Amino acid sequence: MFQGEATMKRIIAIIFTAALAISGPVQAAEEGKTAPDFTLKALDGSNVKLNELRGTVVLVNFWASWCGPCRTEMPLLDELYNEYRDYGFTILGINLDEEQNRALMLLDRIPVSFPVLFDPENITSESFAVDAMPTTVLIDRNGVVRHHHRGYKDGFMDKYEQQVKELVLE
């Protein structure tokens, strides 16, 4: 992508965000409320639409290549994904790097089997009120946000696993 294209994308994202602010509040990912829908391009080139995953427990994880805790968390999330995906569970790893090649370099070093999506303009992350990296949001089978976690520390994965178990059993 040319430098001018990147600048134009940023300007469009800013205008879009301003238009949303003028038209009313953005639906944030609040616990107990329906998750904001999104459609994002996946690593495999497909489009992934959150609303099409109704009936599945979804863990949405916002990450970036420069985030140390994200790099620690990613292989652990992949283990969680592989353990529970046969029970109606999926993970959507949403990368927020402006330059996709940075994410791709990290994924070469830390490969994951769950779907990776790209949100370089941060529109989806804004609708989910992401203010810390990583941010992890658990959404139940009905599309309702049940848990919203900011950051990552040792021991969080135990909490995630317990919450995933509870949601897949509902």
Side-chain angles (χ1 to χ4, degrees):
M1 176 180 343
F2 297 106
Q3 184 64 20
E5 286 181 70
T7 302
M8 184 57 74
K9 281 187 171 186
R10 277 245 174 259
I11 291 169
I12 291 169
I14 290 167
I15 290 169
F16 178 75
T17 303
L20 286 175
I22 291 168
S23 66
V26 174
Q27 178 190 11
E30 283 184 53
E31 290 182 7
K33 297 200 175 180
T34 301
D37 191 27
F38 60 80
T39 302
L40 292 172
K41 186 70 73 182
L43 180 61
D44 68 5
S46 66
N47 286 321
V48 175
K49 184 172 178 60
L50 180 62
N51 278 350
E52 291 177 356
L53 294 173
R54 291 279 169 94
T56 302
V57 174
V58 180
L59 185 151
V60 179
N61 180 260
F62 293 91
W63 65 278
S65 62
W66 49 262
C67 167
C70 299
R71 291 190 298 270
T72 300
E73 181 181 51
M74 286 180 71
L76 302 173
L77 286 172
D78 201 46
E79 289 175 19
L80 185 68
Y81 172 70
N82 287 314
E83 186 171 341
Y84 290 95
R85 70 187 196 179
D86 293 336
Y87 300 99
F89 169 71
T90 194
I91 293 177
L92 300 177
I94 301 180
N95 176 265
L96 302 179
D97 285 310
E98 288 181 25
E99 298 176 24
Q100 187 174 331
N101 66 331
R102 292 181 186 194
L104 298 176
M105 288 189 307
L106 179 65
L107 291 169
D108 281 343
R109 286 183 287 148
I110 306 172
V112 295
S113 53
F114 56 81
V116 173
L117 315 178
F118 298 96
D119 182 26
E121 287 87 23
N122 293 312
I123 293 170
T124 302
S125 65
E126 288 175 12
S127 71
F128 274 77
V130 173
D131 62 358
M133 292 299 287
T135 291
T136 301
V137 179
L138 267 163
I139 302 167
D140 69 17
R141 295 180 193 278
N142 297 315
V144 175
V145 174
R146 297 290 288 277
H147 304 283
H148 191 138
H149 302 281
R150 298 174 68 243
Y152 179 77
K153 294 181 183 172
D154 288 340
F156 276 25
M157 199 55 61
D158 293 335
K159 185 185 303 185
Y160 296 169
E161 184 170 9
Q162 182 59 41
Q163 292 169 346
V164 167
K165 278 183 191 177
E166 290 171 6
L167 292 175
V168 297
L169 292 173
E170 287 184 353

